Amino acid sequence: MPRLYDSRKRILVTGGAGFLGSHLIDRLLERGHEVLCVDNLFTGTKRNIDHLHGNPRFEFMRHDVCFPLYVEVDEIYNLACPASPVHYQHDPVQTTKTSVHGAINMLGLAKRLRCKILQASTSEVYGDPAVHPQTEDYWGHVNPIGIRSCYDEGKRCAETLFFDYWRQHNIPIKVARIFNTYGPRMHVADGRVVSNFIVQALKGEDITIYGDGTQTRSFCFVDDLVEALIRLMATEESFTGPVNIGNSREFQVRELAQAILDKTGALSQLVFKPLPQDDPLQRRPDISKAREVLQWEPRVALDEGLDKTIDYFRSVSLL
Ligand SMILES: NC(=O)c1ccc[n+]([C@@H]2O[C@H](COP(=O)([O-])OP(=O)(O)OC[C@H]3O[C@@H](n4cnc5c(N)ncnc54)[C@H](O)[C@@H]3O)[C@@H](O)[C@H]2O)c1
């Protein structure tokens, strides 16, 4: 039941010690809320939330979402899940469990508390898309038995669970389909394209491009993403999503590598390797729905976002 005595909410963020979760928590605390961060620290790190420990409105709980959780909160953001291919392929069975059991446990909690719950879903639900750009009504083109399936199908099943809890139990749900997001606090070794290129450039190593580099990606800066998640949570109860959140400006992976070389002044060479299995060649969100319903669009240009991200990687150990 919603609390009556003030507008401050107690908000649960699962996966809160990770890249996106820690930025979301910063923003929620800035807005005066209390935050409970639940994380098993599989890919997240205490360093991402170290600066919050003196804050009386912040609490950290080490917990695996594959197990039930009994806490009292007003809203839930469910972000717990390794997001980069190296991490989610490390223990694929655990990845599927995190998405599926994690969704069941967090939805069960939302059902008991009758509170709103937001799912951090992904553009990977579209697989290697046959439609460009992707709109939310596209059902996707996903390999159910490949090495990425633990993540893609886990996230698809989590979406199914969210919509079944909404239809069957009337739980207020919000589903965000997040496209490539980058920024400070990305994991140094997560192998995602932006962090990979920056780390390789700062170490003076060759920059590895999979394929010929003409494949395109769209990159959303983390501050824009967090703003969209908070706006989505604040939408009226009848709005469930799914809603695409990302930057619709497309760049070739090659162009990104060159921009990073120019900004870091690195003398690294570009080295080309074969594309990994099921790696999509093109992915770009249609964000019309987010524009209309959330009155949102990305504000941070790649140039500015890359500067902030490079500054972050310069400040941390790259070992
Ligand atoms: N970053 C992106 O570009 C992107 C794109 C699409 C979707 N997403 C989704 O957003 C969410 C956050 O992604 P991120 O980039 O911050 O990744 P991340 O790996 O930095 O964060 C995930 C967090 O979840 C935690 N976690 C993993 N398994 C857990 C478990 N079983 N129990 C409790 N905690 C667990 C990790 O320790 C980590 O802190 C994920 O659900 C991801 O699928 C991210």
Side-chain angles (χ1 to χ4, degrees), residues 1-9 74:
M1 180 190 294
R3 289 192 273 158
L4 300 174
Y5 49 85
D6 63 21
S7 60
R8 180 197 286 185
K9 291 185 183 123
D74 303 305

Side-chain angles (χ1 to χ4, degrees), residues 14-21 38-45 63-66 78-84 87 94 98 120-123 151 155 178-182 192:
T14 75
F19 160 49
L20 299 183
V38 162
D39 202 297
N40 69 351
L41 301 181
F42 172 51
T43 51
T45 135
H63 174 84
D64 185 327
V65 294
C66 296
N78 187 37
L79 272 64
C81 187
S84 85
H87 290 142
Q94 179 62 23
T98 296
S121 189
T122 171
S123 55
Y151 184 72
K155 288 284 188 180
I178 302 171
F179 284 65
N180 257 343
T181 302
Y182 72 101
R192 280 186 270 186

Side-chain angles (χ1 to χ4, degrees), residues 32-291:
H33 300 298
E34 286 176 38
V35 175
L36 171 60
C37 167
V38 162
D39 202 297
N40 69 351
L41 301 181
F42 172 51
T43 51
T45 135
K46 286 192 179 164
R47 199 182 53 239
N48 289 342
I49 47 170
D50 261 352
H51 59 291
L52 302 175
H53 286 299
N55 188 328
R57 289 182 284 108
F58 175 74
E59 201 181 333
F60 172 70
M61 183 191 286
R62 191 169 185 155
H63 174 84
D64 185 327
V65 294
C66 296
F67 299 94
L69 179 68
Y70 299 97
V71 292
E72 305 302 315
V73 291
D74 303 305
E75 282 175 3
I76 304 170
Y77 287 85
N78 187 37
L79 272 64
C81 187
S84 85
V86 246
H87 290 142
Y88 69 65
Q89 286 166 16
H90 168 75
D91 184 348
V93 172
Q94 179 62 23
T95 300
T96 305
K97 280 185 183 170
T98 296
S99 275
V100 176
H101 293 197
I104 292 170
N105 288 323
M106 293 311 114
L107 285 160
L109 180 62
K111 182 177 165 215
R112 177 172 71 77
L113 299 171
R114 311 294 318 163
C115 76
K116 279 194 269 189
I117 179 167
L118 180 148
Q119 168 69 354
S121 189
T122 171
S123 55
E124 302 287 341
V125 301
Y126 299 123
D128 188 2
V131 166
H132 294 283
Q134 291 86 53
T135 48
E136 290 85 352
D137 53 12
Y138 176 54
W139 289 354
H141 178 231
V142 180
N143 176 356
I145 56 168
I147 55 171
R148 300 171 74 108
S149 314
C150 57
Y151 184 72
D152 303 4
E153 296 290 20
K155 288 284 188 180
R156 285 168 67 94
C157 182
E159 285 201 10
T160 307
L161 284 160
F162 266 70
F163 278 86
D164 282 333
Y165 267 75
W166 171 66
R167 280 185 287 260
Q168 203 174 326
H169 300 299
N170 211 18
I171 304 300
I173 61 154
K174 314 280 172 194
V175 174
R177 290 188 180 151
I178 302 171
F179 284 65
N180 257 343
T181 302
Y182 72 101
R185 301 189 199 148
M186 290 182 89
H187 201 291
V188 172
D190 76 4
R192 280 186 270 186
V193 66
V194 175
S195 50
N196 234 13
F197 288 178
I198 294 177
V199 171
Q200 288 174 327
L202 292 180
K203 286 170 131 179
E205 294 173 354
D206 291 342
I207 293 201
T208 326
I209 295 185
Y210 294 97
D212 64 2
T214 56
Q215 71 270 39
T216 63
R217 290 289 181 273
S218 58
F219 305 102
C220 182
F221 190 63
V222 62
D223 291 358
D224 284 330
L225 188 275
V226 163
E227 179 62 29
L229 293 184
I230 291 175
R231 288 186 187 209
L232 174 57
M233 186 62 110
T235 51
E236 54 189 51
E237 206 162 303
S238 58
F239 185 72
T240 57
V243 58
N244 289 337
I245 300 180
N247 197 320
S248 48
R249 175 93 206 269
E250 247 176 326
F251 290 90
Q252 287 190 349
V253 166
R254 239 189 142 105
E255 280 178 83
L256 174 74
Q258 194 53 54
I260 290 171
L261 283 181
D262 295 345
K263 284 180 180 295
T264 54
L267 299 172
S268 314
Q269 303 292 315
L270 303 184
V271 172
F272 296 87
K273 291 199 175 163
L275 267 182
Q277 189 192 338
D278 295 339
D279 201 41
L281 290 177
Q282 191 187 19
R283 174 98 47 71
R284 178 161 72 95
D286 179 319
I287 54 170
S288 317
K289 200 195 254 190
R291 280 201 181 99

